[in-house]
């Protein structure tokens, strides 16, 4: 959150009327984090509400209307709230569009390692970073290091020259000073200790891998258990913690009040909050509310 807000404050300092394009839908906090800094927010089509998959041609169509210098916010992996990610082929096409139109990518990377793995989850972002002249990446350690309340993450800037980077960094440090002055140290020290030690790093990767596999397993098991209720195979194709079930707020309310199953009114579920034991019960409840 700090990286996103500082990126937004920086963009606003560089150009007072900056437009940032966000996916429809996007993580709800993107709107206050970016809009609160004074950026104009516009939406690009992303999720097809019927299939709950990426509507890539609509995404391209809306981004074609962006103007040079506009910022495009992309979810690095594990799109929140939909779980619907771009394929590597689609990342390549978005990269070409960004290059051709002179847009500035801002990547929010909040779930690296929880989609398919640390490397695979970064493939699209790496492709983009190798191709564009400038880019910003807001990375979080909240989930992949289990450090949610320690405010640990980073804003990375990529630019063509070292002098632009150092000028941008000094502007950013000024912005940070006028907001929170100093970031908390302890979470970052934990991450530094783990990444700086081969043994601890391997142990962390192993544990993260276990979490990733658990979520992937649950995605398949959830879709399979729901098969008699309806076609939920998209859940198995999606990545990360979240997916929409595609049911109405009234049906969500019935899951809550009649079955004690909790999800957002938008029908976004946290797949990681399930386990094999509760899946049949969830499927029965879904069957009931969908009647
Ligand atoms: C897409 C997205 N970006 C950023 C964040 C925030 O990360 P942090 O806890 O590091 O502020 C979240 C977490 O909830 C998120 O889902």
């Amino acid at each position: 959150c700090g990286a996103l807000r500082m990126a937004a404050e920086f963009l606003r300092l560089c150009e007072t009327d900056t437009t940032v394009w966000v996916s429809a839908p996007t993580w709800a906090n993107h709107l206050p984090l970016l809009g609160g800094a004074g950026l104009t927010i516009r939406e690009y089509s992303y999720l097809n509400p019927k299939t709950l998959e990426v509507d890539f041609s609509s995404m391209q169509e809306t981004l074609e209307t962006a103007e040079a210098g506009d910022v495009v916010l992309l979810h690095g992996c594990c799109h929140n709230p939909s779980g619907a990610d771009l394929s590597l082929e689609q990342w390549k096409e978005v990269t070409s569009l960004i290059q051709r139109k002179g847009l500035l990518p801002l990547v929010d990377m909040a779930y690296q390692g929880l989609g398919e793995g640390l490397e695979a989850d970064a493939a699209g972002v790496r492709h983009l970073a190798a191709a564009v002249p400038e880019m910003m990446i807001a990375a979080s350690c909240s989930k992949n290091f289990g450090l949610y309340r320690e405010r640990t993450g980073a804003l990375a800037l990529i630019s063509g020259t070292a002098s632009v980077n150092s000028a941008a960094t000094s502007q950013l440090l000024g912005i940070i000073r006028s907001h929170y002055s100093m970031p908390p140290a302890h979470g970052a020290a934990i991450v530094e200790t783990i990444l700086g030690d081969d043994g601890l790093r391997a142990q962390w990767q192993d544990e993260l891998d276990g979490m990733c596999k658990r979520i992937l397993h649950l995605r398949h098991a959830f879709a399979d258990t729901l098969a008699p209720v309806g076609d939920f195979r998209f859940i198995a194709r999606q990545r990360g913690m979240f997916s929409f079930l595609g049911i109405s707020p009234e049906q969500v309310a019935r899951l809550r009040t009649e079955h004690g199953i909790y999800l957002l009114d938008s029908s976004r579920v946290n797949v990681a909050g399930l386990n094999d034991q509760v899946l049949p019960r969830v499927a029965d409840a879904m069957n009931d509310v969908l009647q």
Side-chain angles (χ1 to χ4, degrees), residues 1-4 26-30 33 73-81 108-111 138-143 147-154 241-242 268:
C1 289
L4 286 166
T26 195
W27 181 44
N29 275 12
H30 281 149
L33 281 171
L73 178 72
L74 297 161
H75 296 225
C77 63
C78 308
H79 185 270
N80 181 7
D108 183 353
M109 194 67 160
Y111 298 89
S140 169
C141 299
S142 287
K143 287 78 172 185
L147 286 168
Y148 208 98
R149 289 169 62 183
E150 304 300 333
R151 306 289 84 223
T152 307
M241 292 162 66
F242 306 114
R268 190 196 76 166

Side-chain angles (χ1 to χ4, degrees), residues 211-228:
M211 284 296 151
C212 184
K213 289 202 175 93
R214 177 178 180 274
I215 297 173
L216 282 172
H217 160 74
L218 281 167
R219 287 193 163 279
H220 285 93
F222 194 23
D224 290 349
T225 317
L226 286 173

Side-chain angles (χ1 to χ4, degrees), residues 239-261:
R239 292 293 172 260
M241 292 162 66
F242 306 114
S243 280
F244 288 119
L245 291 184
I247 60 175
S248 69
E250 293 72 32
Q251 289 164 331
V252 169
R254 284 190 58 204
L255 281 181
R256 199 179 298 142
T257 53
E258 296 172 28
H259 298 277
I261 294 170

Side-chain angles (χ1 to χ4, degrees), residues 226-232 245-248 250-252 254-255 258-259 267 282-291:
L226 286 173
V229 183
D231 184 358
F232 289 89
L245 291 184
I247 60 175
S248 69
E250 293 72 32
Q251 289 164 331
V252 169
R254 284 190 58 204
L255 281 181
E258 296 172 28
H259 298 277
S267 87
V282 175
D284 284 348
M286 281 284 284
N287 198 28
D288 182 39
V289 303
L290 285 172
Q291 292 307 313

Side-chain angles (χ1 to χ4, degrees), residues 263-275:
L263 51 151
L264 298 185
D265 287 344
S266 62
S267 87
R268 190 196 76 166
V269 282
N270 181 352
V271 179
L274 295 166
N275 60 54

